[in-house]
């Protein structure tokens, strides 16, 4: 699991999370999103959509490719926000930060 804070039991907050492949030795975050659900519920939603729909988003294609290669997609909480505005700004900032560090995000 990537080195991120454990904040998943803060129910009233909006969670910002990263998807990654557990089988990748570096466990690099490939997607950043936000949710009002638990991170686990949102992960299950991503996995269901990628495997039951024929969407061609970069995220869905990455998930399908990783799973086909034996990967295990997981999610880690990387931040929280107390309002939609703060969540949108935090998500945009984190996407920018991760990309500027060389992460190949599929957002």
């Amino acid at each position: 699991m990537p080195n991120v804070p454990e904040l998943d039991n803060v129910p009233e907050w909006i969670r910002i999370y990263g998807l990654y492949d557990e089988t990748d030795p570096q466990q690099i975050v490939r997607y950043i999103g936000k949710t009002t659900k638990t991170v686990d519920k949102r992960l299950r939603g991503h996995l269901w959509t990628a495997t039951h729909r024929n969407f061609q988003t970069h995220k869905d294609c990455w998930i399908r490719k990783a799973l086909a290669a034996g990967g295990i997609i997981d999610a880690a909480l990387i931040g929280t926000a107390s309002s939609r505005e703060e969540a949108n700004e935090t998500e945009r900032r984190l996407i920018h930060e991760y990309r500027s560090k060389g992460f190949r995000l599929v957002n």
Side-chain angles (χ1 to χ4, degrees), residues 29-47:
V29 171
R30 295 296 312 276
Y31 176 83
I32 295 174
K34 61 184 177 297
T35 186
T36 56
K37 303 173 186 176
T38 67
V39 171
D40 187 57
K41 282 183 184 176
R42 188 64 191 106
L43 169 63
R44 288 194 309 264
H46 282 300
L47 294 174

Side-chain angles (χ1 to χ4, degrees), residues 9-21:
N9 49 354
V10 185
E12 69 276 6
W13 289 34
I14 300 167
R15 296 159 180 86
I16 293 80
Y17 61 91
L19 297 182
Y20 66 98
D21 181 353

Side-chain angles (χ1 to χ4, degrees), residues 60-102:
D60 290 324
C61 291
W62 165 70
I63 291 173
R64 283 193 293 269
K65 183 177 178 181
L67 293 174
I72 301 169
I73 305 303
D74 203 355
L77 186 68
I78 57 177
T80 60
S82 59
S83 70
R84 294 254 179 235
E85 297 77 21
E86 182 185 1
N88 291 337
E89 175 56 35
T90 301
E91 181 188 34
R92 280 191 298 270
R93 180 180 49 77
L94 288 171
I95 289 170
H96 176 75
E97 286 178 15
Y98 275 66
R99 284 189 169 142
S100 68
K101 291 178 183 176

